[in-house]
Amino acid sequence: MKTKAEWQTLSENITLRNQAYIGGRFQSAVSGETFKTINPATERVLAEVASCDQADVDLAVAAAKAAFVSGSWSGKAPGERKKVLLRLADLMQQHRDELALIDTLDMGKSISEMLSVDLPDSIDCFRWTAESIDKVYGEIAPTVGDTLGLISHEPVGVVAAITPWNYPLMMATWKLAPALAAGNSVVLKPSEKSPLSVLRLAELATEAGVPDGVLNVLPGYGHTAGKALALHHDVNVLAFTGSSRVGGMLMEYAGQSNLKRVWLEAGGKSPMVVFEDCENIERAAGTAAAAIFSNQGEVCIACSRLYLHNSIKDRFLKALLAATASYKGGDPLDPETRMGPLVDKAQLDTVSRYIKSAMDDGANLVTGRIPEYVEGQGYYIEPTIFDGARNDMRFVQEEIFGPVLAVCEFDDEDEAVRLANDNRYGLGASVWTDNLSRAHRVSKQIRSGMVWVNGWGGGDSTMPFGGVKASGNGRDKSLYSIEKYTDLKTVWISL
Ligand code: NAD
């Protein structure tokens, strides 16, 4: 691992791509407009980036459609697409430090987390999905009479992917790998807050052999580039990761345009429930700290609601505070740093408002405070824990997307399940118990897409990732992600 000084030197010499990537080449926005992307640790401008809108969306979608129709990618055998995507994974591995550094500078995530989580996960997602794609078979239906019924999985055409800022490379990869492997063309719109790493990725994709027009990247705002993409009549599938509010708007846009299929991976307010029969309180407390403070709490599956059985609460809180000590905010280029700054001033203000609302609602502040922002010194915030929280408090119900933890108590299993389910979101849940029956019973009753028993997060490409309720309807990763980007085609042959 490089030292902080080495990362700083690299960051001073890095070349950042700042234009739209359409039809295999970089170009300015048609309007010539740009927006600034800043380094949240220093508040310095990193790059002036092409601000795409309707005209660029039209160009990119046309390029994607033309590539699809040409068959340059869609017509390739799955095994051929596999080879190209494996080459891309190799290139990502070769450029691992560069890609990690771009996201750290653009978004504020610690470099060590980039190298231990985002990069290995993104590379593995490309490898695993590429390896899978030539094992996807069609079927023959048990039709009656003199007919042969064939069922095959066909690429859908043009996929639009709209992604958030909190894992810029990884969230894009979770869409790109299955959409490309299945033979589609893609137009990706990254978040305006962290658009840089995917521009470099698109260039690497071309180097790996992805034909021109198959992967296009449009940096730009949601209400311009994002909306135009979502309303476009030549987009066949819209794959989104972001807030539930914007997810709802995308469903409306689909309804107003061509009924494109919309996959939503949306927000979360995940519970962690610790029962009195959890043997290893220290491990559970360490995981609880990681589940809310890693990536500054800017994690969709962050366990921001902690439900503790009242008999273990005091012991647990002590262990939690000890574990929290290692999450002090620091320079994200320092390999020792585990928590960087929040992504921007708007996010700092939002999180500050939630801390204030928790105080106003009467929750007890155990550690942390309302951040005192000093211009030019980054959007730093301390890990914040409130005890005495209740489900009727606003900060316990709403997604904060920052390092703020609500600690609540419960008396028995029924109450724990009721409290965990009493939320509009249903992304993940973490359950801690050493009673096997209880682990199964509670996992079954919790309404969420994912449950981790005696753990949190992690996972690999083999398991689907996604939620229920207001957390959306889509699943990234695993073989199920390929289904999102394929249509079933049935062919009847009269014999
Ligand atoms: P956001 O919804 O504000 O933005 C997401 C993307 O949508 C961005 O690219 C943005 O430019 C675009 N967008 C905004 N308005 C739009 C519009 N009118 N039309 C089209 N596109 C538009 O979310 P965010 O702040 O970038 O990310 C944080 C959210 O993402 C959190 O709610 C978090 O839980 C969620 N998230 C979910 C998952 C998951 O897998 N479920 C993973 C990561 C993040």
Side-chain angles (χ1 to χ4, degrees):
M1 173 63 118
K2 294 184 171 57
T3 63
K4 178 177 163 184
E6 285 169 329
W7 286 114
Q8 272 163 345
T9 307
L10 273 181
S11 69
E12 280 150 25
N13 297 308
I14 195 164
T15 305
L16 299 168
R17 277 71 179 164
N18 61 351
Q19 292 178 299
Y21 198 71
I22 301 176
R25 66 182 188 90
F26 284 112
Q27 55 192 73
S28 302
V30 172
S31 65
E33 295 287 318
T34 58
F35 65 89
K36 293 179 173 55
T37 183
I38 50 137
N39 178 344
T42 61
E43 300 182 37
R44 283 196 216 112
V45 175
L46 266 180
E48 299 266 355
V49 185
S51 184
C52 297
D53 60 20
Q54 179 78 57
D56 310 282
V57 167
D58 288 343
L59 287 178
V61 173
K65 189 177 172 185
F68 186 77
V69 171
S70 78
S72 60
W73 182 250
S74 54
K76 267 195 180 11
E80 292 302 311
R81 294 198 295 264
K82 167 172 116 174
K83 283 185 204 153
V84 174
L85 295 179
L86 288 176
R87 261 200 306 274
L88 175 55
D90 290 344
L91 284 170
M92 290 170 77
Q93 183 68 37
Q94 279 169 33
H95 294 270
R96 171 178 169 269
D97 283 1
E98 180 192 358
L99 291 166
L101 183 58
I102 296 175
D103 272 356
T104 289
L105 294 174
D106 208 8
M107 184 264 158
K109 183 194 297 274
S110 75
I111 192 74
S112 43
E113 191 168 322
M114 276 307 302
L115 290 169
S116 61
V117 179
D118 299 44
L119 256 300
D121 183 290
S122 303
I123 294 167
D124 184 63
C125 183
F126 266 112
R127 287 219 171 102
W128 193 90
T129 317
E131 286 290 1
S132 308
I133 201 64
D134 61 352
K135 285 101 188 159
V136 177
Y137 287 80
E139 292 161 76
I140 295 178
T143 50
V144 288
D146 283 348
T147 54
L148 176 64
L150 305 179
I151 305 171
S152 59
H153 304 268
E154 303 291 324
V156 295
V158 178
V159 171
I162 299 182
T163 50
W165 46 263
N166 64 330
Y167 287 84
L169 188 71
M170 196 166 109
M171 290 302 104
T173 297
W174 287 6
K175 314 275 183 229
L176 293 179
L180 291 174
N184 300 285
S185 296
V186 181
V187 180
L188 168 68
K189 194 209 82 64
S191 168
E192 59 277 19
K193 299 187 185 190
S194 55
L196 299 176
S197 56
V198 290
L199 290 168
R200 182 68 179 117
L201 181 70
E203 200 179 24
L204 293 178
T206 299
E207 192 179 330
V210 173
D212 293 350
V214 171
L215 173 57
N216 308 276
V217 181
L218 297 180
Y221 291 105
H223 64 278
T224 54
K227 184 174 177 182
L229 252 186
L231 282 168
H232 205 291
H233 282 260
D234 285 334
V235 168
N236 305 101
V237 161
L238 181 55
F240 170 76
T241 301
S243 64
S244 303
R245 185 184 66 81
V246 173
M249 292 163 77
L250 298 192
M251 290 180 120
E252 284 186 29
Y253 299 153
Q256 288 162 22
S257 51
N258 60 342
L259 300 186
K260 56 182 69 65
R261 205 188 302 161
V262 181
W263 294 114
L264 303 176
E265 325 279 344
K269 188 76 188 175
S270 300
M272 178 178 286
V273 182
V274 188
F275 288 99
E276 67 281 12
D277 54 21
C278 165
E279 294 285 330
N280 194 338
I281 293 282
E282 277 64 36
R283 191 165 82 83
T287 307
I292 184 65
F293 302 132
S294 55
N295 207 32
Q296 309 77 243
E298 296 166 323
V299 181
C300 56
I301 54 167
C303 285
S304 45
R305 299 184 287 143
L306 176 61
Y307 296 98
L308 301 176
H309 188 266
N310 48 27
S311 65
I312 56 160
K313 196 193 94 178
D314 292 342
R315 204 180 130 207
F316 195 99
L317 270 185
K318 217 169 139 206
L320 177 64
L321 272 176
T324 299
S326 63
Y327 286 92
K328 284 200 169 48
D331 183 345
L333 289 178
D334 183 342
E336 297 300 314
T337 295
R338 296 179 80 184
M339 220 175 90
L342 295 183
V343 72
D344 63 7
K345 178 73 168 43
Q347 192 63 15
L348 188 71
D349 290 345
T350 302
V351 178
S352 303
R353 276 197 297 277
Y354 276 109
I355 296 175
K356 169 103 180 27
S357 102
M359 290 168 166
D360 292 347
D361 280 348
N364 310 319
L365 185 65
V366 178
T367 187
R369 61 197 165 110
I370 296 178
E372 281 162 22
Y373 170 68
V374 182
E375 196 172 344
Q377 293 191 10
Y379 309 117
Y380 285 97
I381 180 168
E382 290 178 18
T384 303
I385 301 175
F386 284 97
D387 185 12
R390 292 187 320 267
N391 269 21
D392 61 1
M393 294 176 177
R394 194 173 146 225
F395 90 113
V396 185
Q397 283 299 329
E398 297 179 11
E399 184 180 44
I400 300 174
F401 226 51
V404 181
L405 178 64
V407 182
C408 314
E409 285 180 61
F410 64 88
D411 287 327
D412 58 29
E413 191 178 302
D414 285 349
E415 187 187 18
V417 171
R418 184 176 55 73
L419 292 172
N421 282 338
D422 171 28
N423 194 271
R424 70 187 288 250
Y425 296 105
L427 191 53
S430 171
V431 176
W432 291 77
T433 173
D434 279 69
N435 176 325
L436 185 62
S437 303
R438 172 175 267 169
H440 282 291
R441 205 166 48 231
V442 172
S443 307
K444 212 169 166 176
Q445 290 178 81
I446 286 189
R447 289 270 297 131
S448 66
M450 298 169 284
V451 177
W452 299 276
V453 175
N454 297 336
W456 170 79
D460 57 24
S461 298
T462 64
M463 290 275 274
F465 187 106
V468 297
K469 297 161 57 180
S471 295
N473 56 8
R475 293 291 180 276
D476 285 329
K477 312 212 294 191
S478 84
L479 293 179
Y480 290 99
S481 70
I482 296 170
E483 288 183 6
K484 288 163 68 174
Y485 306 106
T486 52
D487 281 323
L488 282 184
K489 178 171 236 173
T490 53
V491 176
W492 292 86
I493 299 177
S494 301
L495 298 177

